[in-house]
Amino acid sequence: MTLKRFLTADTVLQDIEFELVQGAISRDDIGRSIRLLKKHQSRLREAYFNPAERMDRETLVARQFQLNDMLFTLLQEMAADARATRLELRKFGEMTLSGLPAERAEAEQRMLADMWLTSELDPYLEGWPPQDLEEAMLGEKLLPQLVLQPSRIPLIGTLLNRLRIALHKVAIFYVTRLAEQQVRINASYGSWIERLVRHSHEQQEKIRILSEQVATLQAHLETLHTETGVS
Amino acid sequence: MKITNPSISVVINTTDRAVQLGTVLTALQQQSYPHFEVVVVVGPTKDNTLEVLEAYAGRVRVLRCPKANLSQSRNIGLLAARGDIVAFLDDDAVPSRRWLEQLAQLFGNPDLDATGGVVFFGYPTDVLPGVQYRIGTISALLEQLDVRDSWLEDLEPPGESTHWVGRMMGANMAFRREALLEVGGFDEFYVFIAEETDLVMRLVRAGKTVHAVKEAAVYHFPASSRNRVVFTYRGRWWLQTRSGVYYALKHGPRTGDSWRAVMMRCLHLTHGHWLWAGQLHRAKHIPWRQMWKIRLEDLYAFFAGLSGALFRRPQLIPQAQIAAARKISEPILPFQQEDAMLQPALDPITGSRSVLAPSVPPLRICLLSYTYPPAKYDGVGRLTNLMARGLYEAGHSVHVITHGEKERVSFYDGAYVHQIPYQLERYGAYRRFDRTFHGLNNSHAVYERVRSLVINEGIQIVDSPLWLYEGLVTEVSRLVPVVVRLVTALRQVSAIQNEHDPDTKMMGEMEQLLIEQADHWLPNTRATLEAVQKVYGLAAPEQRYTIVPYGIVPAPDAEIRPFDVGRRDPLTVLFVGRLEKRKGIQDLFAAIPQVLRQLPDTRFVIVGADNSMFDGFAGQTGMTYPTYFAHRYGEFASHVQFTGEVDDAQLQAFYQTCDVFVAPSLYESFGLVYLEAMNFAKPVIGCRAGGVPEVVEEGVTGVLVDPEAPEALAGALASLLRSPERLRALGLAGREQVLSRFSYHQMASNFADVYRRVIGEFKSTSPGDLLGDLLEG
């Protein structure tokens, strides 16, 4: 199924307003939550470092867990917000993809009739490729990176770092060759799986058409049988 | 319960920086929040600081600090402060206009004990980073993590220490006075460096809330002092090591860091300077003697910090003095005068201001331009620069937003220039329209900086050029009024150049949106207005637009050479412009032989880059314009000089030495080249096309002919060259027009009149209180 999304001046205005609203949301709740967390943490510090009411370690750990819980809650809220935003975006995208209201369509299509975006919304391929396969097909995800914890030993640390970087680079050179080969193999796998999925979809489509034809023929046979009386 | 209108004491600690102190005091006169006093603590100064302060007698409280010790100086200021809030400002930093207003708003929250805003390096140089400080964090071992957008981006900052707190920067920080007194003020062991961090660490341990914000901006113009010489490597760097070692030993073990981590950190601080000195020497920045001086001083500093931390108690304010300070009940000494709102804009680098004293409050204007000097710039950048200069000289505050690879705010030629990068993270639906996609994201980045400028500077209006629709998102936000400078529309140009791809069309749509949504239009000529209306099908009621002609910098009288009627030597005709069809170069080529047949001694100078590859001429003829002329009119080639593109100085010389200027363009929305020639008292010849008749007054400052009429052009040229009196009269009239109608001062004045009217008519629909957002992030 191919849908067309007309980009018009109104669409642009909607998009800009949408982005402006997104900016406003992110500034509100999260900042306030952070401030509350800081306040709580400050009280905890005050209680712990105040010699008059020196807090015992168990109480401190319990309070710290409480603080962690608050942090997790905040992160959870942020994740929920992010999910909601993604859903909003998706809904927004689908709304614009599913065409425009009839009363506006004519005027807007006249404005930018030759400007459209196409979107293949094949239900069988929705969500394709799976995330892990997509990552495996991308070269940069597999190529090894130089991961080194720099030595912090004064004076000879720099020398040690240089030596270790040189050794790591040699290892990376060989691993990179293997990784590149693997990426090519993965890409080939991905491509073949995609073909198979398409093929399977086409087969199913053919089966559906054939089933309909069989049903039609059966109905036709039954009609003939009734008319001729031949069984 | 929210605290309203708290009193603020601004404490400035200074030694040997009289000029900078004068500048910062001038800047404080322009603050939008009036309820504050200024306390200046003067160290053992050797310059005329006290003379500068005499001008502020009765408005500034002046105290003396016997030693060049910043912590001690800060404590003296703190003890004398009468405000509920104590704000520290460096003597070489200039606050944004709403700095104190924002601090007052923040401290309206009774939970807050300390805050600070962003600090920009204000010099227009790449030597320094653009943002010196913004919401930083720092550990108990003095490991810094700066310029963070959010506290939650990196919950576990990298570093050895386990204890991290929000960092403050001495150039821009404010505290609740009582909280500072409670912890004993600053530790005077710190001569400078880390004294503010030590204080924050103690405040946090005492349970106080420290919360830095992204805004409340201060522009820092580091000046030399006895501790360092700016833009050199000379300085008392060992004080950093001394402070660092002392700090790490005082706070690391107390907050749970291991002794091993603390000692390693102390060694690293020392070793860091050791290595740095070596690097400087290898790069030939310092001689070997200085390298070893730095290294030996550093070793001394290590032991000084170590012994200070292990064997000395913190040098805080004695309790008796704190008790006395708490008893102070006198009101603050008001600093601002009645004319605070009439203060003209300030050059924060030189401390100078406009000589014109405004009779009405000057405006706060934001100009947009994708390119801007001193980086590489185009015509829009050049015009915007002239506008900024003219507006500043009339006393208005100007901020220019332009594109840059990195964020930077610097003061240049009368305006704060905000270079902003943009991320391609929004408007994904337009990704396949490359220029549109980039343009929208840039426009959004511009909006965000405008928003920041409204918060920090109280910007009242935004002026956007037509191309690249930079002001579009700001228009939609309805945050401030946006006016649009109309020039030749993209759709006009794309029609001429036969560009009809979807991206160009989409850009045209954006441009149309920008015009439609604008609060006011500013075409440079009526011809431009009519062309834009026609191409976009827009109606333009008179109250919607104002024609503002462009202006240039008038050349000094000494450089003007009007035509000498007694001259008998050959005359020179000058053409300036790209060599392309639209500029009428083919008509000029056809006219030249006709002129030379009548006046064979005449000389033609053609200045400008050949554009035959792009206007289709090379495709048709296989030749560039100069080659074509030599080929087609070979017998006249010796009378014609093609210079190619020249620099500004050479161009001025050509204008100065020519006798007639000719530019037979088929279309010009304005025609700046005619003004440039008129500036040097030269008569001009152009076509009756576009905005040219609005710039060249026919028969008064020049001669106009129909476009694409070489015979008429040749006739006009020959006639003018034969009449020395006309050459002189037209030239002098042109010069007069430049001075009276087309100077950049006049242009800026015209723009300012329109801005003031549009600001008065604007009604914001922006929701919420922008300053109220500050505490939220």
Side-chain angles (χ1 to χ4, degrees), chain B residues 9 152 160 185 270 315 330 336 387 397 399 464 533 560 576 667 733:
Chain B
S9 297
L152 288 178
E160 293 293 323
T270 315
Q315 298 169 43
E330 292 165 65
Q336 280 192 330
M387 286 170 68
S397 294
H399 289 254
S464 171
Q533 276 182 270
I560 307 305
V576 176
Y667 183 83

Side-chain angles (χ1 to χ4, degrees), chain B residues 66-146:
Chain B
K67 289 185 196 166
N69 179 314
L70 186 54
S71 299
Q72 189 178 1
S73 180
R74 288 194 196 282
N75 280 341
I76 290 169
L78 167 65
L79 289 172
R82 297 165 183 170
D84 305 324
I85 308 302
V86 183
F88 290 94
L89 183 65
D90 275 9
D91 55 357
D92 54 357
V94 171
S96 53
R97 186 175 181 275
R98 296 177 81 178
W99 179 58
L100 290 176
E101 194 182 345
Q102 291 179 67
L103 293 181
Q105 180 96 7
L106 287 160
F107 281 106
N109 180 344
D111 290 336
L112 185 71
D113 294 297
T115 190
V118 60
V119 179
F120 294 107
F121 272 126
Y123 287 122
T125 168
D126 289 332
V127 175
L128 301 167
V131 182
Q132 189 176 9
Y133 163 77
R134 179 187 282 147
I135 311 185
T137 55
I138 196 154
S139 77
L141 299 181
L142 211 67
E143 296 153 316
Q144 293 177 29
L145 195 65
D146 280 354

Side-chain angles (χ1 to χ4, degrees), chain A residues 90-122:
Chain A
R90 193 189 168 102
K91 205 167 79 183
F92 184 78
E94 281 171 4
M95 273 168 58
T96 44
L97 281 170
S98 63
L100 299 158
E103 65 272 18
R104 276 179 36 207
E106 195 186 332
E108 298 195 349
Q109 286 181 16
R110 200 170 51 243
M111 284 173 71
L112 271 166
D114 55 345
M115 227 170 286
W116 44 265
L117 293 173
T118 57
S119 175
E120 299 287 338
L121 287 182
D122 190 329

Side-chain angles (χ1 to χ4, degrees), chain B residues 300-320:
Chain B
Y300 160 73
F302 172 81
F303 290 108
L306 191 73
S307 64
L310 296 179
F311 306 117
R312 294 175 71 167
R313 296 173 64 81
Q315 298 169 43
L316 303 177
I317 304 174
Q319 283 302 317

